Amino acid sequence: MPRKTKDQNELNEEENKKVKSSKSIKEEKVAKKTTSKTKASKSSENTKKRASAKSSKKATSTKKKTLAKRNTSTKKDAPDKKPSTLTEVDKAEDIVAPIAIQPTADPSKFKIIEYYDLPYRYNQTVVKVLAQTPTTLFIYWDISDKDRKDLKEKYGDNFFEVTKPILIVYNETLGYNFEVEINDFANSWYLHVNDAKCKYRVELGRRPIPGILPADTNSSDDSFDDNSDNSFDNSKSIEEEIPNYIYISVSNEMESPNNHILFNPNQNEVHFKNIKTGVETIKEISSIPSLKHNAHKIYSLYNLYQAIYQDENVEEIYDLSNPSSGGNPSSSTSSR
Amino acid sequence: MQEKKGYVSFILHAHLPFIHHPESDDYLEESWLYEAISETYIPLLTVFKKLVDEGIKFRITMSMTPPLLSMLDNKLLQQKYINYLLKMIELSQKEVKRTAGDKRLNKLSHYYLDKYTSDLHIFKDVYKCNIIQGFKHFQDVGVLEIITCGATHGYFPILYINEKTVRAQIAVGVQTYEKYFGRKPRGIWLPECGYVPEADKYLREFGIQYVITETHGILYADPTPLYGTYAPIVSPQGIVAFGRDIESSRQVWSSINGYPGDFNYRETYRDIGYDLDYDYIKPYIAHNGVRVHTGIKYYRITGKTDFKDYYNIQWAKDSAEKQAGHFFDCRNAQIENLSQYMDVPPIISCPYDAELYGHWWYEGPYWLYVLFKKIYYDDCNFELITPSEYIDKYPNIQVASPCRSSWGANGYSEVWLNPSNDYVHRHLHVAGDRMCELASTFPNETGIKREALNQCARELLLAQSSDWLFIITNGTMVDYAKKRIKDHIGRFTKLYYQIKENNIDPEFLKEIKEKDCIFPDIDYMIYS
């Protein structure tokens, strides 16, 4: 599916203009003033007095409850005592908290008001490919101003109007390629591929648009006129000027993930490595008749689990609402 | 007594993104740390201590990520956590008075008052405000193995386009670990379990022996591992991979039958921050007056309707004990079955988010406590083990290349690469390339230029955190995540030009160093 890339409102400036953080820039939401400091300071003063009065009692209770019994014995018949509460909390009455809220954040230390936006582009010719899934590639690209200028000088000012961008996907493992037509409004693309566990490389190029001809060399980039009837009379045919394919750039090589169990009925041996000694050994499967048989039994267990959980969507194990990923979506905004 | 035929390995991944705002107290996101300390980290430490005190032999593995360690070690955040607890104690005290007429509620409000007071005592008096020491202690006494993670939880399957940026994530992860634990880590939790074989050589370079992958990281390996996820495999580059066990995983995680959904357990989403009168609760919710969770929750899940009954601590404990028994019996049966087919003892790897235990599943730490006691005292055919101990005992491992995989939705990269967040990747890649360019153009600098180069490395690492991409996909706190990406890329880019133009603004550098103060000892030459 094509990805929309350019918002009308977005600026297409050089990045160093976009990345601004100076005192002149309008105030941003970063350093919000807070009054908590003053409140906290007052509270701090009041409670300090209380704190000193109770300090002796606290010192005693602290000693009693110190956690680290460094020489903890691990005797086996320790009493099987259950905790009195879930986390074995101490009773609040035993522990007084004679300390006050201390001031923490100090906005006055930070004079520079920062505001950043991500650059729209980096003005470099680049194609990168990533694997989103075993069969979905994500590709992003850009062509630098210099390369654009060079192409226009070589093929005419309206080179980008009379040619269309394409991606050629090379499956380097299986040795085939195919072509996908994209458009100049995109700078990234999701692309389905049929074969998982293959190395891919993606090439960005352009092909002439059939029937659209290059304009006068005087015509500017911005004055492209879609009326091909007018340009036809004054122009040479595109096939004479622009080759059938113009290479722009090629991506990194990327291997897509595997998505299935790779049982190989012809596999005859299994390699083992002793990770302490580094010694590798090879076991002939035929020498251990039960080996292959047992492997199948083990793998049939996975089918068994699927059957046990058949009422559940297999994907639920990865459900985003589960607390997976360290992102720790704040409980303060989550809803069930 | 049954013969020991296999092992179970619990691996808890403790991680939060680096959130540190010395310029303001208004960031709600900072409370993620405070909630996690109170609901997960302190309860886990408490469980470990009780087990050790009771003489229970157990083994558990935890990854503690560099951003989490940096925050736990940060003086400002330590003070902010104390402030958070003081407010919670104040609120709990008010609640004790408010609920005086309702016996059941009043008992619960006392429970919260006790809990937060105890947290303050444990944090301030026992651990002197630094709970890293607690975890280090349990590692040093031999019950806990701590492993490391990528420097800022950067997702390798997207970053590896520039391998040096993956190498830097690993290098800083290992350096941070050594700083806090005084030894080298043997294992690493790959951020989001994102495995790419290209990282293996760097893992080896920094002494990492093993990783944890999602189930299909092993099942789809090449060639197919004989024992599935029930034995580790070793990659051609020499990295051992343990795969998540699907059965035990589902018992805990399943959205239908998973343990945390028990009707007696505490309902996470009913909180007095939303339930009580606005003027009463206002001092304890967001600074801007938006209602948020406070942490005081009085209801149990009760059922699948909106009706919620009061939480009953004893009932919740009963459920946790029952479920611990169920998990115990299942592992016993699983290992009995598997051991028939294997010529090495099977290992059942059980990796979970640490924050599942306590923060999301409030009774989770107690469940672990009961389970570990059962494993120790009851007759069973398995023992707890850490991955390191397993490979020490059984070093002869099948060679196979793990599958490129993650533990995100659908098992690959969709969470961190989809139409909502794909615009970010080109910026991360360009910044990564530029960091390498800076390290190569300005090697071994000194003075302010070195400081600026080191800060560039910090900004790049912070931008690479997988959390921002996850949050954008998940749709909560999206503005904050987007702002963080813009801020770090923006600060990086501004410094990049200042360094190249030899025009570094010392005030700007000083301010962002204070805000983004992670990895004070970083050396930008890791990108050379």
Side-chain angles (χ1 to χ4, degrees):
Chain A
M1 75 196 96
R3 295 273 297 114
K4 187 184 166 199
T5 59
K6 201 192 296 184
D7 244 330
Q8 290 298 320
N9 296 332
E10 275 186 286
L11 298 176
N12 187 3
E13 288 180 60
E14 284 298 312
E15 58 181 294
N16 52 353
K17 287 182 190 164
K18 289 284 280 183
V19 181
K20 44 193 171 181
S21 74
S22 73
K23 295 164 193 173
S24 65
I25 296 169
K26 65 176 180 177
E27 194 167 332
E28 243 291 289
K29 46 194 166 185
V30 185
K32 291 174 196 165
K33 296 275 180 189
T34 172
T35 53
S36 64
K37 187 192 164 200
T38 13
K39 283 181 192 165
S41 306
K42 281 181 191 168
S43 145
S44 163
E45 280 167 26
N46 291 337
T47 42
K48 261 181 196 165
K49 292 172 191 167
R50 291 200 298 270
S52 61
K54 289 176 180 172
S55 58
S56 56
K57 179 181 175 186
K58 181 170 167 279
T60 325
S61 91
T62 306
K63 263 188 190 171
K64 248 196 293 185
K65 294 173 193 307
T66 299
L67 175 125
K69 291 179 184 170
R70 300 282 162 179
N71 301 319
T72 312
S73 77
T74 49
K75 57 181 179 181
K76 226 176 165 182
D77 39 23
D80 187 1
K81 187 186 139 215
K82 288 186 178 179
S84 58
T85 66
L86 278 176
T87 51
E88 187 73 351
V89 297
D90 296 297
K91 289 291 171 198
E93 291 76 15
D94 298 338
I95 307 164
V96 183
I99 51 173
I101 291 179
Q102 301 290 317
T104 46
D106 184 2
S108 67
K109 282 170 74 178
F110 299 92
K111 310 281 185 208
I112 296 173
I113 295 168
E114 293 181 277
Y115 173 79
Y116 303 101
D117 212 345
L118 294 172
Y120 170 62
R121 59 192 289 259
Y122 288 92
N123 197 9
Q124 59 179 195
T125 299
V126 66
V127 186
K128 298 277 186 195
V129 58
L130 294 164
Q132 186 201 36
T133 72
T135 53
T136 311
L137 309 184
F138 173 71
I139 302 130
Y140 72 79
W141 64 86
D142 192 19
I143 306 173
S144 71
D145 290 345
K146 182 181 177 303
D147 286 347
R148 285 175 177 274
K149 188 165 163 274
D150 290 349
L151 286 164
K152 283 181 189 175
E153 281 174 3
K154 193 167 177 185
Y155 298 114
D157 278 351
N158 63 349
F159 170 77
F160 285 94
E161 283 75 42
V162 299
T163 58
K164 61 187 177 186
I166 57 158
L167 296 174
I168 304 176
V169 181
Y170 291 94
N171 182 323
E172 297 187 342
T173 306
L174 300 176
Y176 67 81
N177 67 72
F178 65 94
E179 189 173 313
V180 178
E181 188 178 319
I182 52 175
N183 64 62
D184 280 321
F185 297 100
N187 67 1
S188 64
W189 210 271
Y190 288 91
L191 222 155
H192 176 77
V193 290
N194 287 328
D195 298 298
K197 202 176 187 311
C198 286
K199 287 182 178 167
Y200 289 94
R201 207 179 275 277
V202 179
E203 191 171 296
L204 174 68
R206 298 187 78 88
R207 287 199 192 281
I209 302 172
I212 296 186
L213 305 172
D216 290 344
T217 47
N218 290 335
S219 65
S220 76
D221 198 357
D222 296 326
S223 62
F224 174 66
D225 184 352
D226 200 29
N227 187 342
S228 54
D229 288 344
N230 291 341
S231 57
F232 184 81
D233 294 338
N234 301 324
S235 309
K236 290 178 279 186
S237 77
I238 187 166
E239 286 77 14
E240 291 171 25
E241 292 290 318
I242 299 177
N244 186 42
Y245 175 68
I246 305 98
Y247 166 88
I248 306 285
S249 188
V250 70
S251 75
N252 54 302
E253 184 187 75
M254 188 276 315
E255 187 182 70
S256 64
N258 180 26
N259 61 357
H260 58 283
I261 293 172
L262 298 168
F263 271 132
N264 177 3
N266 300 319
Q267 186 181 341
N268 294 320
E269 52 190 33
V270 185
H271 291 244
F272 286 86
K273 183 176 183 177
N274 185 313
I275 59 157
K276 274 187 184 166
T277 61
V279 175
E280 291 201 30
T281 49
I282 297 172
K283 282 187 186 175
E284 294 285 333
I285 288 189
S286 55
S287 71
I288 320 167
S290 63
L291 206 57
K292 211 166 177 180
H293 183 58
N294 285 344
H296 279 285
K297 282 190 175 166
I298 285 171
Y299 276 83
S300 70
L301 290 172
Y302 296 107
N303 295 331
L304 179 70
Y305 298 143
Q306 285 195 351
I308 290 170
Y309 293 97
Q310 62 185 342
D311 293 336
E312 289 185 45
N313 182 347
V314 174
E315 308 305 338
E316 270 172 359
I317 198 167
Y318 307 119
D319 187 349
L320 277 181
S321 65
N322 272 334
S324 73
S325 169
N328 188 16
S330 167
S331 58
S332 56
T333 55
S334 301
S335 61
R336 185 162 250 203
Chain B
M1 284 289 282
Q2 291 185 66
E3 179 196 349
K4 301 297 179 197
K5 295 177 179 171
Y7 299 95
V8 170
S9 183
F10 272 87
I11 304 133
L12 305 186
H13 174 52
H15 167 65
L16 286 172
F18 187 75
I19 295 175
H20 174 252
H21 292 287
E23 76 278 18
S24 171
D25 282 328
D26 291 351
Y27 286 92
L28 284 177
E29 293 78 6
E30 280 186 342
S31 66
W32 297 347
L33 176 68
Y34 318 144
E35 289 169 10
I37 294 174
S38 274
E39 293 178 341
T40 294
Y41 309 143
I42 286 179
L44 284 177
L45 285 170
T46 308
V47 163
F48 297 162
K49 177 188 179 295
K50 280 179 62 61
L51 290 167
V52 168
D53 286 354
E54 291 173 21
I56 310 296
K57 189 181 161 198
F58 72 100
R59 293 285 183 277
I60 189 167
T61 304
M62 284 183 74
S63 58
M64 298 191 74
T65 69
L68 177 62
L69 291 169
S70 302
M71 289 193 292
L72 292 175
D73 189 37
N74 183 282
K75 294 280 179 278
L76 179 77
L77 292 174
Q78 289 168 358
Q79 184 57 50
K80 284 190 175 190
Y81 175 62
I82 289 172
N83 290 353
Y84 162 85
L85 286 178
L86 290 173
K87 287 196 87 168
M88 292 310 299
I89 290 167
E90 184 183 281
L91 176 59
S92 306
Q93 285 166 337
K94 284 186 184 176
E95 280 296 282
V96 167
K97 282 184 192 162
R98 187 187 69 82
T99 60
D102 185 328
K103 201 176 166 188
R104 288 172 72 194
L105 259 193
N106 193 246
K107 190 178 171 191
L108 284 170
S109 59
H110 270 287
Y111 165 75
Y112 283 111
L113 176 58
D114 292 346
K115 180 198 157 28
Y116 287 115
T117 311
S118 172
D119 284 355
L120 183 62
H121 165 67
I122 291 172
F123 185 77
K124 200 164 178 297
D125 304 326
V126 177
Y127 291 115
K128 312 297 177 205
C129 300
N130 193 333
I131 60 169
I132 298 171
Q133 292 313 310
F135 290 103
K136 181 176 184 298
H137 165 72
F138 289 112
Q139 169 153 270
D140 292 344
V141 300
V143 296
L144 168 67
E145 176 177 353
I146 303 174
I147 59 176
T148 191
C149 189
T152 52
H153 221 254
Y155 182 60
F156 294 180
I158 284 174
L159 297 182
Y160 87 98
I161 281 192
N162 182 335
E163 288 189 12
K164 283 185 180 173
T165 61
V166 169
R167 181 177 178 272
Q169 282 276 342
I170 296 166
V172 176
V174 170
Q175 286 158 9
T176 308
Y177 181 97
E178 287 183 84
K179 173 182 170 182
Y180 289 110
F181 300 113
R183 59 170 87 172
K184 284 188 178 295
R186 293 186 66 183
I188 190 170
W189 181 282
L190 298 172
E192 317 292 5
C193 293
Y195 177 80
V196 284
E198 289 80 0
D200 281 6
K201 53 184 172 291
Y202 304 118
L203 296 173
R204 288 276 294 178
E205 180 186 345
F206 291 98
I208 298 292
Q209 289 177 293
Y210 71 86
V211 301
I212 315 297
T213 73
E214 181 50 276
T215 310
H216 58 287
I218 304 298
L219 294 189
Y220 299 168
D222 187 9
T224 300
L226 289 174
Y227 306 126
T229 55
Y230 306 120
I233 57 174
V234 60
S235 75
Q237 290 80 19
I239 297 297
V240 178
F242 290 83
R244 171 147 78 161
D245 172 54
I246 199 165
E247 187 189 348
S248 57
S249 175
R250 277 181 180 269
Q251 281 164 354
V252 175
W253 289 75
S254 166
S255 58
I256 296 174
N257 302 316
Y259 296 149
D262 189 284
F263 292 164
N264 286 329
Y265 285 158
R266 194 179 79 158
E267 172 58 85
T268 306
Y269 297 100
R270 278 294 295 273
D271 187 291
I272 64 169
Y274 290 92
D275 287 350
L276 296 188
D277 176 72
Y278 185 73
D279 287 335
Y280 172 83
I281 204 69
K282 197 177 172 192
Y284 308 100
I285 53 176
H287 280 79
N288 62 4
V290 172
R291 284 183 182 269
V292 294
H293 285 241
T294 62
I296 297 182
K297 301 163 201 288
Y298 290 137
Y299 296 91
R300 62 187 180 91
I301 294 171
T302 313
K304 293 187 174 177
T305 67
D306 287 341
F307 169 74
K308 300 293 170 196
D309 188 15
Y310 288 148
Y311 183 60
N312 182 310
I313 293 170
Q314 189 54 51
W315 291 1
K317 284 172 65 179
D318 292 347
S319 286
E321 287 163 18
K322 202 171 117 193
Q323 290 178 342
H326 179 258
F327 190 91
F328 174 86
D329 291 342
C330 289
R331 298 293 75 72
N332 213 46
Q334 190 179 14
I335 285 166
E336 190 64 39
N337 187 26
L338 285 167
S339 57
Q340 303 169 56
Y341 309 133
M342 297 177 62
D343 53 9
V344 286
I347 179 169
I348 309 296
S349 303
C350 306
Y352 303 100
D353 257 333
E355 292 77 20
L356 171 69
Y357 289 84
H359 181 56
W360 294 100
W361 175 17
Y362 192 63
E363 298 76 8
Y366 181 68
W367 177 87
L368 265 185
Y369 166 75
V370 176
L371 176 66
F372 286 4
K373 281 185 76 162
K374 284 186 83 65
I375 293 169
Y376 183 66
Y377 282 117
D378 291 5
D379 186 21
C380 69
N381 61 10
F382 66 93
E383 286 180 325
L384 291 167
I385 200 167
T386 66
S388 291
E389 289 172 327
Y390 188 89
I391 57 181
D392 285 346
K393 282 188 176 192
Y394 308 101
N396 212 30
I397 298 172
Q398 184 184 348
V399 180
S401 298
C403 168
R404 295 165 187 272
S405 51
S406 83
W407 79 342
N410 302 324
Y412 299 98
S413 294
E414 286 168 79
V415 172
W416 304 279
L417 170 58
N418 61 59
S420 74
N421 60 21
D422 60 26
Y423 69 95
V424 178
H425 302 310
R426 70 175 67 220
H427 302 289
L428 297 181
H429 290 152
V430 168
D433 293 345
R434 285 178 169 180
M435 190 66 236
C436 296
E437 176 204 331
L438 288 175
S440 131
T441 313
F442 305 104
N444 304 313
E445 287 286 347
T446 55
I448 191 171
K449 202 164 200 171
R450 181 176 189 82
E451 283 181 42
L453 286 158
N454 284 340
Q455 193 59 30
C456 272
R458 291 184 194 104
E459 300 299 340
L460 171 63
L461 288 168
L462 288 169
Q464 288 172 338
S465 169
S466 69
D467 306 276
W468 317 136
L469 302 167
F470 172 82
I471 293 170
I472 293 171
T473 298
N474 210 24
T476 55
M477 311 306 239
V478 172
D479 290 345
Y480 181 77
K482 288 183 171 176
K483 183 179 179 317
R484 287 294 299 269
I485 292 166
K486 286 182 185 177
D487 281 355
H488 297 304
I489 293 290
R491 287 169 190 162
F492 172 88
T493 310
K494 186 173 175 181
L495 266 185
Y496 167 79
Y497 283 113
Q498 288 186 357
I499 292 165
K500 287 186 72 164
E501 292 157 11
N502 204 16
N503 184 27
I504 297 163
D505 175 354
E507 277 304 304
F508 170 69
L509 179 60
K510 181 168 168 264
E511 288 198 8
I512 63 169
K513 263 182 81 176
E514 190 153 346
K515 286 177 182 168
D516 298 329
C517 59
I518 196 169
F519 311 135
D521 307 320
I522 200 168
D523 179 354
Y524 71 97
M525 289 304 288
I526 49 171
Y527 289 96
S528 62

